[in-house]
Structure formats: C-alpha cells, structure tokens
Amino acid sequence: MKQLPFIIRKFVFADESLARIVDMDDGSGVEGKIPGYFVMSSAPPSIEEAQEGSERLQQQAEQGIQEIADHLCRRMATAGSTAELVITVHGYNTSLDGVEAWYKNIFKYINRHDPAIAAQANQVFVGYRWPSENVALGRPQKIGEALSALPPLPRDLLVTGGLAALALLLLELITFSPSVWSFLLSLGLVLLFVLGILILALVVLRLVVYFRDSYRADNFGVLDLVELLRQIDMAMLERTAADMFPATDGQMPRRQAMAQARGYWQRRSQNKVKLSFIGHSMGGFVVTNVVRILSDVFDTASVEKRPDSYIGDVFSLGRLILASPDIPVLTIVSSRANFLASSLRRFSESYLFSNEGDVALRTASTAANYIAFPSRTQARGARLGTVALKDRFGDENDYGLLNLSTLDNDFSPSLPIGEAIAQAKSNVMDHLFLTYQRFKGQGVVTLAELFTVQTARSSNRATVADFFTYFDCTNYLDFRYDPSTNTCSAQPTGLLTRALGRAVLTPWDYCLLILDYALGKRNVHGGYFEGKFSQELLYRLAFLGFDDYLKTYDSDPQVGLSQLHLACQAKQIQGYLSPICYRASIQGGSLEGTKADLLEAIDFGED
C-alpha cells in the first residue's frame, strides 16, 4: 500500500448540537448533508518525532480518499451534474485543539445554522491541518529545547556573553583606579555581552516559532495538500474508468481505460469539480503555493499568459477567500516581484478580508520577514492582511461598498473591462492603503503610490488587484456568535479592533490592541470567524459564490447587491467590489470572457 503523508478522519454529529471528529471506521454519529473531513498532515512538529504511519492510519487515509471521491462523483451524477470541494487552511501559531474547534464550528455552521448553505446538495468540506505549533515563550521545556538545539559556536557565544555580563557587574562592584587596561577590559566584556544578546535574540525568534511554522507550511503543509488533491483526482479518474468500462472477461487494460477517462474529463471542461479555498493567515500562503505547484508551467495557456482554472484532470478553481493573509502586500500588484500572480488569477472569484489593526501580522510576521523578505523599504515588507480601505470619518456613507456608485454610473457594459477600469473615477489602488510612516503626513501610503514607484507607470489601469473583492473589517461592529453553542453576546462589540471609526489608527491605538489581544479581549487576527454577520458573509461567499449569495437577499441581483451594501454599512465594514463580479453578476457578462479581457488588459499594460 502506498504511503500517504496525511491522516483522514471525518466530521459527524453526535446529536443535533454536538459536532465531533471520529475515525473513518467509526460508525457512530450522523454525517452532515454537506459531508466533512478532517485531513491532517502526518509530518511532526520536530523531525526527531518523524515515523512511518501505522497500517491502520494508512488504511483510514485511503478510505477517506475513496469516500471523498465517492461523494464528489455521486454529486456530479445526481445534483445537477455539479460538485464542489471546499478546503479550509489555518494559519501560524495554531494548536491542534484550536484547529479542530474551528473546523467543527464550520462543519456545524454550514449544516445546521445556515439554511442557504445547507440546501446545497453538491459540496464536500475538508478542514486541512498542517503541523503548526504554538508560541513557546513561557514554556520551560521549549526554552530548554531551544537552548540545547543551539549549534556550538552560537551556544558558546551565548555562554560567553552571560559570563561577560557577570564580569561587568563585578567590575561595577569592585573599585579600580581608571586606566587604559581597565577600559579595554570593559570594552571587550561589553562586546562579548552584545554578542550574547544577539544569540539570545535568535533563541527568542525560535520560541516565537514563525520561521519554524513557515518552514513546515512550505515543505510539509503545501506538499501534503498537493498530494491529497492528487490522490482525490486519481480516485475520481479510476471511478470514471470503472463506470465507463465495467469489469468483464475482456476487460480493457487499465492504462487504456484511464486514458479514456481523462478524455471524458477533458470534454467536460466547462463542468468539472469546483475547488475552492478559505485560507487564514499563513494558510493563505499554503493555498497560493499549492495552486502554483498544481499549475502546469508548460501548459499553453500558462506560457501565453492566459492561465485557465483547470487543475489536474477533474478540478477547476472556484473561489479563493483570504482572511488576514500572511503574504506580501505586493501580491496584488502586477510586477516582476509578484511571484503569486499566476496562481491568484486562476480563480473565478477572489475575496480579501483585512484589518488595519492586525497587530499579529504587524509584529510577529513583519518583524520576522524583516530578516527574510528581500525589500529595502518598510512598506513593501508589509503583509496583505493589514491593508485597509480609505477613508473613514464616522459618516455612514463611508461604509458599505465604496465603489458601488462608480460601478453603477461609470462602468459601461459596452466597454471592454480594461477600458472601463481605466476610465472609471474610482480605482482600487487609490483606495487601498498601508499605515507605515506614522510621523509623516497622515502616516499612510496608498498601493497606487507603491505601484507607481514599482512600475514607473500610472496606477489607473487594470492590475491583479482588480480580481479581488475587498472587505476592510477594521471598524467591524457586531455580536459575537459561537456556532458550537449557538449563542450570541449580549451586546455588539468591536471584534477585530475597538471600532473607534478613525481614519487611520494611531500608535496609541496599536498599543491598546496589543494589550487587548494579549488579554484575549478581541481577536485582531481571526475575529472574522467570530462575528455573526462576518461568518455569514465569509462562509456564504465560500460555499455559495457571489451570484447565489446575492440571491439570499433578493432574486434580482441588483437589489441583492444594494442589500449587501446596506448590510456592510450597518456593520461598519468597508468593501470594494471587483469589476469582474460586477460585470458577470450584475451586467450579465461572461465570467470567463471577462477574466480573459482583464488578463489581456493587464498584460498589455506590462508590455
């Protein structure tokens, strides 16, 4: 039996209110109408713990692959000939218990708490766990491991620095007459002490686990998720071949049968299994790199800069939801430095949930990437999850979909989308900003300014940023909702920040947010998954898509869009609607044709 690099379990309901994760061969509990699976990379947090998976775990992983493939094949055959696989990927500094609790909440929410999602009979949910670990600053065992793992030279420098600090203390206590030798001795001890401090800083960086999580995400999380999708793809091909050529005495050779099955899926180019992702924090990095690997660099469409959405034989990319993604801000800027553009523009719909006050990204991530990310300026080292939409001055008209009136009045359906974007009065790059120079003017820089410097061209043209619909939740005010207990908080509160309605957060605001985050008063990095409205917005976009989400408001998409605008306005969320969504959902344009036109406009601007 082939060795699979992951463990698969399944989500079930022990009763109407309790979601559990059980082994694949556990017959207890009831599956959801939308079946769910918990897939965990078998890579350990430390390589010393690596071992071959047991035969039972391998059998369960194989059984899980077969069940997922069976669900998708049945849905392709019985649910309007469509099927969707939605995969959620967690972020940095996430424990196993925390991941399981979150994924059980999603499973319960989509099956029990949202009838619009539960009514879908064509989806499978997968919660994917890669080997992250928690920050270990206050754990003596982890501190001891970090010190014992130091290579000899840094370890000796750390010990020497400690001895130098002790010697300096003794020199302060013992009175010597000033002399050149005492000065040189003190200077040498200070240098050794500084070297020891530098090594201590390395130990602290290890305890923060950012670099370790980044390594595990890149080398284990990405590759194991790629293998999961490859195995599902192969299992569905084998089922197709078996259905096309049932076993008989004159059975067709397997290779020929598989070739026929591939031809069948190629003919279904407009009706493959939709593959959608929800990526939180470093999970956004995992998702986008998975897509990069699965994309064929020798495919004609890729070579000609017209990447399609097809992945493998049976999948096509659907929706991408990024919440506080821990990826570079220039990911959404078209330039040579944008190494993820080719994967981002393969999705039919892309959404970004961000928060200007995300101090987790502004501290741990930005500080760590200061060492690793090759930028010369602070702004270009910022993370995508910290971008915000301007401007906010406490007026209700500054919330909701900021570009809705521009799209309604200036976005002519007769113009190619690239020309329509260039002629529109509102441009997304002028609305997105970073807080990075707090003592210079307003302390902000727009992505348009970064873009102009980066490419020496005007930002008033189509860019990769136009693929995204943005939701800035900095001032998001709502009830906290817990799907596990189906309860809400008594009063609405600022879920990601204190929701003070400021145009730009001040240094004092960031200090208060760090304190709130440390005390657990608000989740500045993951509050999107705690609010009543934000959960509805995020999960419906992921499981329904934009068109069907608007239908939950009204059968008329224009009316539904207006209702969404008002809902965001009431919750103090700023949004910016992608021109692609508006052209396809409101103006009735072809989604694939609109994407192709936008790609042409982007590539023309870069030539």
Side-chain angles (χ1 to χ4, degrees), residues 388-392 395-407 426-428 430-433 470 472 565 568-569 573-577:
L389 286 163
K390 67 172 189 180
D391 291 312
R392 297 184 297 273
D395 190 310
E396 66 176 9
N397 294 323
D398 292 319
Y399 297 104
L401 301 177
L402 301 183
N403 64 329
L404 185 57
S405 61
T406 298
L407 292 172
S426 177
N427 185 284
V428 64
D430 292 315
H431 281 270
L432 293 171
F433 74 90
Y470 301 85
D472 175 7
H565 167 70
C568 290
Q569 200 172 77
I573 293 176
Q574 289 187 298
Y576 197 98
L577 184 63

Side-chain angles (χ1 to χ4, degrees), residues 377-421:
T377 58
Q378 181 183 346
R380 286 169 179 77
R383 314 313 281 173
L384 186 57
T386 62
V387 298
L389 286 163
K390 67 172 189 180
D391 291 312
R392 297 184 297 273
F393 299 106
D395 190 310
E396 66 176 9
N397 294 323
D398 292 319
Y399 297 104
L401 301 177
L402 301 183
N403 64 329
L404 185 57
S405 61
T406 298
L407 292 172
D408 288 339
N409 298 323
D410 303 331
F411 207 73
S412 172
S414 62
L415 289 176
I417 190 168
E419 293 183 28
I421 291 172

Side-chain angles (χ1 to χ4, degrees), residues 217-288:
D218 194 14
N219 293 280
F220 302 140
V222 171
L223 299 181
D224 292 351
L225 182 52
V226 166
E227 181 62 17
L228 172 69
L229 293 173
R230 194 182 72 84
Q231 291 293 333
I232 296 173
D233 184 276
M234 182 61 66
M236 293 190 68
L237 272 183
E238 290 174 345
R239 270 156 183 70
T240 302
D243 291 341
M244 294 174 67
F245 307 102
T248 62
D249 292 338
Q251 183 177 2
M252 178 179 292
R254 181 179 184 276
R255 180 177 298 179
Q256 188 175 349
M258 292 293 284
Q260 293 289 334
R262 286 191 173 90
Y264 167 80
W265 281 100
Q266 287 175 0
R267 293 190 295 274
R268 292 181 61 115
S269 59
Q270 300 302 315
N271 192 15
K272 297 194 175 191
V273 177
K274 286 287 186 184
L275 180 61
S276 299
F277 293 94
I278 301 173
H280 174 233
S281 185
M282 200 174 282
F285 168 83
V286 172
V287 168
T288 50

Side-chain angles (χ1 to χ4, degrees), residues 136-369:
L137 286 175
R139 298 162 62 184
Q141 179 184 355
K142 292 295 183 180
I143 295 174
E145 289 179 3
L147 293 173
S148 64
L150 271 175
L153 179 60
R155 182 189 59 211
D156 294 343
L157 288 175
L158 179 61
V159 172
T160 304
L163 294 175
L166 180 61
L168 283 172
L169 178 61
L170 292 175
L171 286 176
E172 287 293 325
L173 297 176
I174 301 174
T175 304
F176 283 105
S177 58
S179 68
V180 173
W181 293 109
S182 63
F183 171 76
L184 291 177
L185 177 61
S186 299
L187 182 60
L189 291 174
V190 167
L191 291 177
L192 291 173
F193 175 65
V194 170
L195 287 175
I197 292 295
L198 292 177
I199 301 303
L200 184 61
L202 292 179
V203 174
V204 172
L205 284 175
R206 178 188 172 95
L207 294 174
V208 170
V209 306
Y210 185 88
F211 289 113
R212 289 161 60 85
D213 261 11
S214 180
Y215 180 90
R216 286 184 290 251
D218 194 14
N219 293 280
F220 302 140
V222 171
L223 299 181
D224 292 351
L225 182 52
V226 166
E227 181 62 17
L228 172 69
L229 293 173
R230 194 182 72 84
Q231 291 293 333
I232 296 173
D233 184 276
M234 182 61 66
M236 293 190 68
L237 272 183
E238 290 174 345
R239 270 156 183 70
T240 302
D243 291 341
M244 294 174 67
F245 307 102
T248 62
D249 292 338
Q251 183 177 2
M252 178 179 292
R254 181 179 184 276
R255 180 177 298 179
Q256 188 175 349
M258 292 293 284
Q260 293 289 334
R262 286 191 173 90
Y264 167 80
W265 281 100
Q266 287 175 0
R267 293 190 295 274
R268 292 181 61 115
S269 59
Q270 300 302 315
N271 192 15
K272 297 194 175 191
V273 177
K274 286 287 186 184
L275 180 61
S276 299
F277 293 94
I278 301 173
H280 174 233
S281 185
M282 200 174 282
F285 168 83
V286 172
V287 168
T288 50
N289 278 277
V290 164
V291 175
R292 289 178 70 197
I293 292 175
L294 291 173
S295 303
D296 185 359
V297 295
F298 294 104
D299 179 68
T300 304
S302 296
V303 174
E304 295 177 353
K305 296 185 179 182
R306 300 291 185 274
D308 54 43
S309 61
Y310 306 139
I311 295 294
D313 291 299
V314 307
F315 293 116
S316 66
L317 291 176
R319 299 173 286 275
L320 173 65
I321 317 291
L322 296 178
S324 281
D326 188 6
I327 54 181
V329 70
L330 290 183
T331 298
I332 57 173
V333 174
S334 302
S335 74
R336 174 63 182 83
N338 188 355
F339 58 93
L340 295 179
S342 61
S343 61
L344 291 176
R345 56 191 187 179
R346 290 177 179 270
F347 289 90
S348 58
E349 299 176 26
S350 300
Y351 303 91
L352 174 64
F353 289 76
S354 62
N355 164 32
E356 184 190 348
D358 191 336
V359 292
L361 287 182
R362 289 184 176 276
T363 52
S365 176
T366 305
N369 282 286

